[in-house]
């Protein structure tokens, strides 16, 4: 089952499946490493942007955008 | 002379490496036609001189932002002899993404695998030989901040320049993509192209707008253009660009597989612990406020009270000596007046503030290098979103505290037009370093015991007005979606002394240069207008300047500071804000001083605490200096917006200053 990145909790790990944002944002996410199959771990998800760990570095993603990143649950 | 270009992701240590390579032998200019900074330096290595060009730090070489286009144009058309690709060893995969794009361009590339000390601390292990073999290019471990590996990277670069390498890229895409690239290559094979053919074909499949536009502008045959258009029509539903990005990452993974070993469990780092506090839901914003308060308090305490006094007496003593000397050699009276009133009291009044801005730039540079800025953007994202912007816009605002010009230039990293325009338009409300002398003079005259607090309140007022205007603009002039935050949070790092000092020096140099050129020119002009016609009493109301000021003063009367000197000084500040203090220094110079600073004494006579406050508010908010307006013109490419900027900021400044004075008067302050 695919769920959005927003639904993950702090400490959860997942794999990116699909991004359904607009062209520019999707491309930017891909280039930052959120491409298909990327393994991520949620570091912080309470208010504001979601912070995930990606290849060992932290990236903050705005909530609205995080909703459009589908990951395996 | 051979040219070496530096590329790399933001925060990979590129600036540090550039400083380590070039030392003090560097200069900053602009790339032709745009306001993006171009840093170049010279390096002498083994008896030969090399030109080092620092390209903008980017995650990719697409056509996403101006930075990316500049970096890629230089790589393709500037013909660097070799490229040093600075790769952060801590997240090598993401950094190698950029490397794959360099390889696609068929350029000579050497990798500086930087931050090796941090990677080692995290127990990440590298098989350098294997990495290098898989990539087909040299990989040199470096620790730029300690100067380790600098010789090696230079040696490898030079070997590369004179060596033979195949230009074939080891990168493979999937079969369908390969097929399309070959098809386009075939279409273009007889054309004269601005870029290498294989790369052009790849970019076309990637739907790169910039390249497509360049092609249309070049004299490529209509047939080929039609073929390309047909290709897009036929494949309109497919997303090759994402597949290509996937292949690049797949390649990066293949390269690191077996060559980079990460520990299974990542341990909690100091960065994680700090982040837990500074990004906390409730603590984030207060912590930001405290940090900024400390910055201004320190600036004021150290800059003004300790170093400032020394600078003031130095300038005044110097002025006295020069006056004695000029009288002794029987210099004409007008000349003495010009030197003492104009140059010493005018320009000197500005120079006195070098210690103050030195501290400010030192602290801001420290903050910027430490990695905290990204956290500030994070904690402000929520609020900024409600105002129709995103958190990264806030970073541009903080950079504006140093100077609005780089503040506005940094909006280039924002992805959409609306965000960029709004962030640009509100940046001048972020009080820049050049306004600091104005506040300090008034604070010294009226609020000597509350300097830090007054400064902090002014800056806070600036932020608040900026945020309100952001909301107004996003509701009226610029409707529509704002872009989302996507931002790396780099680990906290102790800034190197060298980087911070370098940054500070660049800023002070700019300040001194302005004092010697623009401010000097303005002060000279003001002096001439203030002593003519000869029949009027110099610096009096009946000089040309006095008449101009008397004409302008009524406009500012509702704000309480209707004396003509104050009005003239505001307008003299339009070329450069330092000139406000310079002009006040010159105009009040004709007055007597009992003891202490002449300027401060005069100000005490011409202002009250309340009008001092409204004057500071006015200088905080009103029309930005010429350099900022020039930058806005260049960045927006529009005279209309530039004029709008000049006028609406004046209106806002006037309204708020009037409010301060009128409400203050009603409440019985004076
Ligand atoms: N530990 C460590 N820190 C480094 C190294 N190189 C640079 N830094 C630090 O990393 C931060 C970012 O470096 P900077 O050169 O500004 O990165 P840029 O954004 O790529 O120009 C600074 O605080 C540097 O002092 C390194 O090799 N090791």
């Amino acid at each position: 089952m695919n769920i959005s990145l927003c639904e993950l909790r702090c400490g959860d790990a997942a794999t990116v499946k699909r991004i359904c944002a607009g062209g520019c944002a999707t491309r930017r996410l891909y280039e930052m490493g959120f491409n298909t199959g990327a393994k991520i771990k949620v570091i912080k998800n309470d208010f504001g942007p979601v912070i995930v760990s990606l290849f060992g570095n932290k990236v903050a993603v705005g909530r609205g955008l995080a909703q459009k990143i589908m990951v395996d649950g | 002379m051979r040219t070496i270009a530096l590329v790399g992701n933001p925060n990979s240590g590129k600036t540090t490496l550039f400083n380590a390579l070039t030392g003090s032998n560097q200069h900053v200019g602009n790339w032709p036609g745009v306001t993006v900074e171009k840093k170049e330096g010279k390096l002498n290595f083994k008896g030969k001189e090399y030109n080092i060009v620092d390209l903008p730090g980017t995650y990719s070489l697409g056509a996403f932002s101006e930075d990316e286009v500049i970096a890629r144009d230089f790589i393709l058309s500037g013909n660097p002899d070799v490229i040093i690709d600075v790769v952060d060893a801590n997240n090598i995969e993401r950094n190698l993404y950029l490397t794959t794009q360099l390889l696609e361009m068929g350029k000579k590339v050497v990798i500086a695998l930087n931050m090796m000390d941090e990677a080692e601390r995290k127990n990440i292990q590298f098989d350098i030989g294997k990495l290098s073999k898989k990539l087909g290019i040299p990989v040199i471990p470096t620790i730029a901040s300690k100067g380790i590996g600098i010789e090696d990277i230079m040696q490898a670069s030079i070997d590369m320049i004179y060596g033979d390498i195949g230009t074939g890229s080891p990168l493979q895409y999937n079969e369908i993509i390969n097929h399309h690239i070959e098809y386009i290559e075939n279409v273009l094979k007889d054309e004269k192209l601005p870029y290498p053919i294989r790369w052009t074909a790849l970019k076309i499949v990637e739907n790169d707008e910039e390249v497509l536009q360049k092609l249309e502008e070049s004299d490529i045959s209509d047939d080929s253009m039609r073929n390309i258009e047909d290709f897009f029509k036929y494949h309109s539903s497919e997303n090759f660009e994402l597949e290509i990005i996937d292949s690049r990452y797949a390649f990066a993974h293949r390269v690191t597989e077996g060559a980079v070993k990460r520990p299974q469990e990542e341990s909690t780092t100091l960065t994680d612990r700090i982040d837990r506090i500074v990004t906390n839901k409730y603590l984030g914003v207060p912590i930001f406020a405290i940090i900024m308060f400390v910055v201004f308090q320190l600036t004021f305490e150290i800059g003004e009270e300790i170093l400032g006094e020394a600078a003031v007496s130095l300038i005044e003593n110097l002025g006295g000596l020069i006056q004695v000397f000029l009288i002794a050699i029987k210099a004409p009276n007008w000349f003495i007046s010009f030197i003492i009133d104009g140059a010493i009291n005018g320009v000197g009044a500005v120079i006195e503030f070098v210690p103050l801005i030195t501290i400010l730039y030192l602290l801001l540079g420290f903050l910027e290098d430490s990695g905290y800025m990204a956290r500030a953007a994070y904690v402000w994202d929520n609020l900024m979103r409600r105002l129709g912007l995103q958190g990264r816009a806030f970073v541009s605002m903080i950079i504006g505290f140093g100077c609005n010009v780089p503040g506005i230039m940094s909006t280039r990293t924002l992805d959409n037009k609306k965000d960029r325009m709004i962030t640009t338009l509100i940046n001048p409300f972020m009080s820049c370093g050049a306004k600091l002398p104005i506040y300090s003079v008034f604070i010294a005259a009226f609020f000597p015991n509350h300097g830090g607090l007054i400064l902090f309140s002014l800056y806070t007022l600036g932020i608040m007005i900026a945020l309100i205007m952001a909301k107004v603009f996003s509701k009226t002039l610029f409707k529509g979606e704002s872009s989302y935050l996507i931002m790396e949070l780099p680990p906290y790092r102790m800034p190197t002394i060298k980087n911070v000092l370098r940054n500070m020096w660049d800023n002070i140099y700019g300040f001194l240069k302005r004092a010697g050129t623009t401010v000097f020119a303005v002060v000279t002009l003001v002096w001439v207008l203030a002593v003519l016609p000869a029949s009027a009493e110099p610096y009096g109301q009946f000089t040309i300047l006095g008449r101009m000021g008397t004409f302008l003063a009524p406009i500012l009367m509702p704000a309480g500071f209707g004396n003509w000197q104050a009005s003239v000084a505001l307008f003299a500040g339009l070329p450069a804000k330092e000139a406000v203090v310079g002009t006040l220094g010159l105009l009040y110079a004709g007055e007597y001083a009992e003891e202490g600073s002449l300027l401060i004494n005069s100000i005490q006579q011409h202002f009250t605490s309340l009008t001092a406050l409204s004057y500071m508010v006015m200088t905080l908010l009103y029309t930005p200096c010429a350099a900022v307006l020039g930058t806005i013109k260049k960045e927006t490419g529009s005279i209309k917006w530039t004029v709008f900027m000049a006028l609406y900021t004046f209106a806002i400044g006037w309204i708020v200053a009037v409010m301060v004075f009128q409400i203050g008067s009603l409440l019985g302050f004076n």
Side-chain angles (χ1 to χ4, degrees), chain B residues 163 181 296 395:
Chain B
I181 296 175
F296 297 125
V395 175

Side-chain angles (χ1 to χ4, degrees), chain A residues 23-36 41 43-44 46-51 53-65 68, chain B residues 59-60 62 64 68 90-91 93-94 97 101 122 206 241-242 245-246 249 253 262 266 271-272 275 279-281 378 381-382 415 484-489:
Chain A
C24 252
T26 308
R27 193 189 159 110
R28 183 39 110 212
L29 281 170
Y30 260 66
E31 291 193 328
M32 292 287 281
F34 287 88
N35 59 327
T36 327
K41 193 172 144 200
I43 298 200
K44 190 164 187 291
D46 47 7
F47 85 113
V50 181
I51 303 181
S53 159
L54 187 73
F55 309 125
N57 72 311
K58 294 186 189 180
V59 181
V61 181
R63 272 205 110 61
L65 192 55
K68 296 173 182 166
Chain B
Y59 293 111
S60 162
F64 204 73
E68 292 184 7
N90 296 298
N91 47 81
E93 286 91 347
R94 216 255 337 269
Y97 178 78
Q101 291 177 308
K122 287 194 198 160
E206 243 188 295
E241 52 175 339
L242 297 184
I245 298 175
D246 273 342
Y249 265 107
H253 283 300
R262 285 176 178 281
E266 280 170 24
T271 292
D272 296 328
D275 268 350
T279 63
N280 180 283
K281 192 170 174 175
Y378 174 86
D381 186 69
N382 240 0
D415 304 338
Y484 290 108
L485 181 77
I486 311 173
M487 182 184 59
E488 190 182 355
L489 299 176

Side-chain angles (χ1 to χ4, degrees), chain B residues 9 11-16 114-115 117 143-145 369 493 496:
Chain B
N9 284 188
N11 299 307
S12 58
K14 199 162 59 64
T15 311
T16 313
N114 196 32
M115 310 266 181
D117 51 339
I143 306 172
S145 53
D369 262 15
R493 297 194 171 102
T496 57

Side-chain angles (χ1 to χ4, degrees), chain B residues 123-143:
Chain B
N123 243 332
I124 308 174
Q125 283 158 13
F126 299 91
D127 184 335
I128 303 282
K130 221 179 205 169
L131 271 179
S132 165
K133 194 152 160 256
K134 285 188 180 180
L135 284 162
I137 51 175
V139 176
I140 313 293
T142 60
I143 306 172

Side-chain angles (χ1 to χ4, degrees), chain B residues 494-535:
Chain B
M494 200 51 178
T496 57
I497 295 173
K498 209 169 166 182
N499 281 5
V500 174
L501 289 183
R502 172 97 239 153
N503 176 49
M504 183 192 86
W505 171 243
D506 286 344
N507 280 307
I508 295 179
Y509 179 75
F511 186 87
L512 287 173
K513 201 169 136 193
R514 275 196 308 282
T517 52
T518 318
V519 176
F520 182 71
V522 172
V523 166
T524 304
L525 181 70
V526 169
W527 179 80
V528 170
L529 295 177
V531 294
L532 290 179
S535 58

